[in-house]
Amino acid sequence: MPVGDHQRELPLAPGDLVVRHVTEDSGRTAVYDFGSLPVGAQLRREFAEIFAHRVGPEGTWRSLASSREMWLIVVLFARFVATL
């Protein structure tokens, strides 16, 4: 157990589009860059915020496998939207 005022780093820093998923059990990390998605800035921001909530302390995506699978879905959806 960490000593003192140790808190997990936020998955999404303010003003950033990079989400960091750190697992609670092993501390393994995955990084997802929403700035690379081929959609508008507002949609990238909204995707990043929702994704960060899901991988954060209150979220339901606990494993890297979960977040990786959802990342692939987001990427495919963004590519589709970009063709419209």
Side-chain angles (χ1 to χ4, degrees):
M1 212 41 145
V3 178
D5 293 332
H6 178 76
Q7 293 182 1
R8 285 178 54 190
E9 183 179 330
L10 292 175
L12 179 65
D16 201 358
L17 289 174
V18 175
V19 175
R20 288 169 181 78
H21 181 192
V22 180
T23 62
E24 292 177 349
D25 55 349
S26 66
R28 293 184 307 144
T29 303
V31 177
Y32 305 101
D33 183 3
F34 287 81
S36 68
L37 296 177
V39 293
Q42 182 176 352
L43 192 52
R44 285 192 304 259
R45 164 65 44 199
E46 290 175 9
F47 280 154
E49 288 174 357
I50 291 167
F51 203 92
H53 176 74
R54 293 293 186 177
V55 301
E58 308 276 324
T60 56
W61 300 345
R62 299 286 178 215
S63 71
L64 293 186
S66 295
S67 64
R68 282 189 190 121
E69 187 68 27
M70 295 312 295
W71 170 248
L72 292 175
I73 292 169
V74 169
V75 169
L76 291 173
F77 180 71
R79 288 178 184 166
F80 169 75
V81 169
T83 66
L84 301 179

